[in-house]
Amino acid sequence: MSTGVNASGQSTNRPPSMSDVATLAGVSHQTVSRVLNDHPNVRPGTKERVLAAIEELGYRRNRAARALVTSQSSTIGILTVGNANFGPASTVLAVESAARAQGYFVSVSSLEAFDAVAARTALGHLVDQGIDGIVVVAPLVEVARVVEEAGLQVPAVIVAANPDAAATDTLRYVCTDQRRAARDATEHLLGLGHRRIAHVSGEMAWIDALERNAAWRAAMEERGLEATEYAAGGWAAANGYRMGRRIADEIVAGDGPTAIFAANDYIAIGLLRAFWERDLRVPEDVSVVGVDDLQDSAYFIPGLTTIRQPFTAMGQAAMRALLGIAAGQPRSEGRFDAVLEPELIVRDSTAPPPAG
């Protein structure tokens, strides 16, 4: 049986890989991919070296690139968070739908904790299944770092607005512009005349929470306004409810905000409940804006003004990026392969601030 080679050129007991071909031929992994895909932008001499290395090693291409490019049935792995958080869950469904439309199966591995150890374990679980590509729908700082450092031999796409994104030939990023989402929400409230606009932030280990927080804060500071943050410590309605009781006390005492930008719609739900219990009217006494546009957000009392995220388009963008890697297509010049725009949805939970 043919064997691979390590970085020193010594034989190993495993089947030869694309990286082994690249090492023997003295070219990059991407160049080998281009030769295998019959890409026109490869010099004849380079192509001959790669083909000779393939023949010498007995390399058989039976993994990601072949399955993806030839549209054969294959399995795409999805690494995601182990809860029902609406944003990641919606993105996972969108990726699964986009993959299925291309004829691929999907295997999901969920993080049991939001740390590097859990990320490595879940990532290894997928790789051990022989998947042909990975889409990471776990927008956490630690997860992005682990995936970037893993040196995966299969195409990988991270769905996250990571400001430190380090895309490579085999790893790419797609995202919704989370800073735009937060700025649109804040600008909407500013346009209504609010000046005391607080932010109830989500789980700060998440890239989305960090990005939304930074954009809200910047919008406030640009106008010389105080940026008051309430850390909910999580994404659930219960987190919003607990913080909402504190904010309600401040509003009743005359010291609270006139408007709140909540990090997601679940937090906003908790706020609405807490304000209702204290007989505070939304939006007459305080306005509330969320993020995500849950399916039922229009039916809250009042209907929630929110930022809609393009989950379906995001799933499609992730699959396009994954296919692009396998086809040897050059990545975009920026940090992200695709940046999708959110949409402000104005409903009944926002109005001008109370008089006086």
Side-chain angles (χ1 to χ4, degrees), residues 2-3 5 9 16 21 24-25 49-59:
S2 299
T3 60
V5 294
V21 175
L24 185 60
R49 292 207 314 276
V50 172
L51 292 175
I54 289 172
E55 183 176 358
E56 180 178 341
L57 292 172
Y59 170 70

Side-chain angles (χ1 to χ4, degrees), residues 79 109 111 115-128 146:
L79 176 61
S109 182
L111 292 172
D115 56 37
V117 174
R120 293 191 188 95
T121 299
L123 196 62
H125 176 69
L126 287 175
V127 172
D128 289 346
V146 167

Side-chain angles (χ1 to χ4, degrees), residues 336-349:
F336 302 97
D337 254 44
V339 179
L340 303 185
E341 297 299 326
E343 179 185 2
L344 173 67
I345 306 297
V346 178
R347 298 193 178 104
D348 298 330
S349 67

Side-chain angles (χ1 to χ4, degrees), residues 101-329:
Q102 296 289 339
Y104 308 131
F105 295 103
V106 169
S107 177
V108 178
S109 182
S110 298
L111 292 172
E112 296 181 358
F114 301 155
D115 56 37
V117 174
R120 293 191 188 95
T121 299
L123 196 62
H125 176 69
L126 287 175
V127 172
D128 289 346
Q129 295 181 42
I131 45 86
D132 302 319
I134 296 175
V135 177
V136 180
V137 188
L140 293 103
V141 176
E142 277 293 306
V143 174
R145 183 179 62 79
V146 167
V147 175
E148 287 180 350
E149 294 176 354
L152 296 172
Q153 297 301 307
V154 295
V157 174
I158 299 177
V159 182
N162 185 8
D164 300 317
T168 67
D169 290 337
T170 56
L171 172 64
R172 299 182 184 177
Y173 276 85
V174 299
C175 70
T176 295
D177 189 342
Q178 299 298 337
R179 294 204 176 208
R180 169 71 181 275
R183 181 168 286 274
D184 284 355
T186 309
E187 294 285 353
H188 170 65
L189 294 169
L190 288 166
L192 290 172
H194 292 276
R195 293 298 177 265
R196 300 203 310 272
I197 304 171
H199 177 48
V200 179
S201 56
E203 172 55 61
M204 298 307 284
W206 291 58
I207 294 169
D208 292 355
L210 292 169
E211 290 292 279
R212 293 169 193 170
N213 186 297
W216 156 78
R217 189 174 299 278
M220 297 294 286
E221 291 176 351
E222 285 170 7
R223 291 165 175 78
L225 301 174
E226 182 178 358
T228 301
E229 177 187 352
Y230 299 89
W235 296 107
N239 297 97
Y241 174 75
R242 286 192 294 269
M243 194 54 61
R245 295 183 64 177
R246 170 185 165 184
I247 297 171
D249 288 340
E250 295 179 5
I251 294 174
V252 171
D255 299 324
T258 63
I260 297 174
F261 165 47
N264 75 349
D265 284 2
Y266 285 120
I267 291 174
I269 292 172
L271 294 173
L272 294 179
R273 170 75 187 198
F275 296 156
W276 175 78
E277 288 183 356
R278 291 302 306 274
D279 293 325
L280 290 174
R281 300 166 301 165
V282 177
E284 291 85 356
D285 298 318
V286 58
S287 290
V288 178
V289 179
V291 178
D292 280 341
D293 193 24
L294 296 174
Q295 185 175 8
D296 299 325
S297 291
Y299 301 97
F300 298 165
I301 299 176
L304 184 65
T305 295
T306 187
I307 303 294
R308 178 179 295 163
Q309 299 208 65
F311 294 115
T312 299
M314 184 59 59
Q316 294 168 345
M319 280 303 300
R320 283 197 301 271
L322 203 65
L323 290 166
I325 297 172
Q329 296 174 359

